[in-house]
Amino acid sequence: MNHITKRFGEFKANDDISMTLHYGEILALLGENGAGKSTIMNILSGLLQPTDGTIEINGVVTQLAGPRQAKELGIGMVHQHFMLIPAFTVLENIILGDEPTKRGRIDYQHARATVEALVEKYQLKLELDAKVANISVGMQQRVEIVKALYRQATILIFDEPTAALTPQEVQEIIVIFKQLAREGKSIVFITHKLGEIKQIADNCVVIRAGQVVKTLPVDQVSENKLAELMVGHPMNGQLVRQLNEQQHPVLTVHNLTVKTNHQLKVNQLSLSVNTGEIVGIAGVDGNGQSELINAISGLTKIQTGEIKIADQNVTHQAPRRINEAGLGVIPEDRQNTGLILALTLAENLALKSYYQQQYNWHGLLNYTAINQTAQRLISSFDIRSQSEKETATELSGGNQQKLVVAREISNEPKVLIAANPTRGVDVGAIEYIHQQLIEQRNKGCGILLVSFELDEILKLSDRVLVMHGGEIVGEIDPQNTTSQELGLLMAGKKQNVGG
Ligand SMILES: Nc1ncnc2c1ncn2[C@@H]1O[C@H](COP(=O)(O)OP(=O)(O)OP(=O)(O)O)[C@@H](O)[C@H]1O
Ligand SMILES: [Mg+2]
C-alpha cells in the first residue's frame, strides 16, 4: 500500500500510510483506539475507497472497486464487528454469497463437504447446523475465519480476532495463524494485546493518529517499547485500592435458574456482592455467564430465584426499574446491547437518563444539557471523536467501548455489571478504565466483573467466583492464586465453595 490517505470529511483517518505485506508473513498492526487500523484494512479489502494513494498486489497496481474485486484477488477480511446473519446456520453463513450450485439450486452436500474438510484441516470446533444466534462469540469468530478460508483468500486480514476470546481460544487461533503462514498465506493481524504480537508476528507496523510511526521486526522490541511507540510516551500507572470497612450486600442473587431454548443455563445459583467490592466471575465461555448477566439486567426471563439490588427486590422487573434501583451494565456486546449506532454520541450517553428532569424540558429533550454532559464525558474518557453530534457508527470499535463505559460509570450505579469492560480497548485506555472501576469500588459501588482475561480478573477482583455448567463451583482469593490454578478450576474441577 503506497501513500494511502483516507478522509472522512475534513478528518484524515489515514494520512500517507505506506506498508508492505510479504508472502508467508504475519504482520501485526498496532495503534491506539481510533489510530486508523480498521480504516486502512477496510481499504485493502475494497470496502472503502482511499482518497489518495495506490495498492499493488503481486507487483501490479490495482484499483479495488469493491469487496468482490478484492475477493477475486485473494483478499479476505474478518471484520472487527462480525458480519454474520443470526437467523442463518453456521454453514449457511460460511457459504453466503459463494454458494456452489447444481442445476440452479444450492448444492448443500458439496458445500458441507468443502467446509468439513476445512474444519478438519485446521482442527476448528464448529457446529455447522447451529444457528448463529445461539452460538458463543468464540464460535462466531471461528465461523468468520472459515468463511475467509472457504473463499480461498491468500491475503488474510484479521481485525482484532482475539478481542472477545478466552485465553485457550486465543491459543487455538494462534496455532491456525502459524499454519496458514507456513502454507504461504499472508496475514495482517490487528490486536491490542502486545503479548500476542510478540508470540506470532514477524513484523509490526505501529500507527498513531493515522500515520505510520514505525515498522519493525518483532523480535527486536519489548512489549513496553511497543506500548510506548503506540501512545507516544512511556506508560505508568498504579491502582490504589482502599480498604472499605462496614461492607454490606448490595447485590444478592438467590437460587437463580435460567433456561433458554429449553436448555438449563443457570442452575440454582446464589451469589452476593458487597458495597465496595469487586467480585470477578471466571469461567470458560458458554458456562452461563451471559445468561446470568442478562437475568440480573432484566433482559431474560428467569425460572426461579430472587434478585435484590440495595434492598429492593427487582425480580421480574423491567430493565428501567432495575436501572433505577441502581444497576449499571457494561454489556458483552457493545453494538447490539450497549449502543444505538444510528444515534449521536450525546444521545447514546443519555440513553438511560434522557427522561429525567435534568434532560427534559416540558416533555422535550433538553439538548443543551445533553450535549454539555456529553462533551464532559467525551473529554474525560478520551473518546476520540470529532463532535458529540456525530453518530456512534462513526467511532472506532475501541472508542465505542469507551462510550458505553463512560455512560455506565457516570451514572454512579450502586451495582455495576462489567462484562469484558476493556474488550478491544488499547493499553492506555485499559489502564484508565481499570482506574475508573477501582474508583467506583472505593466509593462503595459493588461490581460484578465478568471477563475472559484472567489477568484482568486477578488484578481487579477482591474475590473471584468460578462458574462452570451454570453453577458457581469455587471461590478463590485472587492474591493467592495463579492463573494456572484458576484455569484448572475453570475447566470444571470442583472445589468447596468458600474453601
Ligand atoms: N465512516 C466514518 N465517518 C467518520 N469518521 C470515521 C468513519 N470511520 C472511521 N472514522 C474515524 O476514523 C478514525 C479511525 O478509525 P478506525 O476505525 O480506523 O480506528 P482503529 O484504529 O481501528 O481503532 P480501534 O482500535 O478502536 O478499532 C476514528 O477517529 C474514527 O472516528
Ligand atoms: Mg478498529
Side-chain angles (χ1 to χ4, degrees), residues 8 11 13 32-39 80 160 192 386 394-399:
F8 294 109
F11 177 76
E32 287 183 289
N33 296 131
K37 304 179 295 294
S38 296
T39 304
Q80 185 168 5
E160 298 193 31
H192 289 292
Q386 286 143 74
E394 292 173 32
L395 286 188
S396 78
N399 283 301

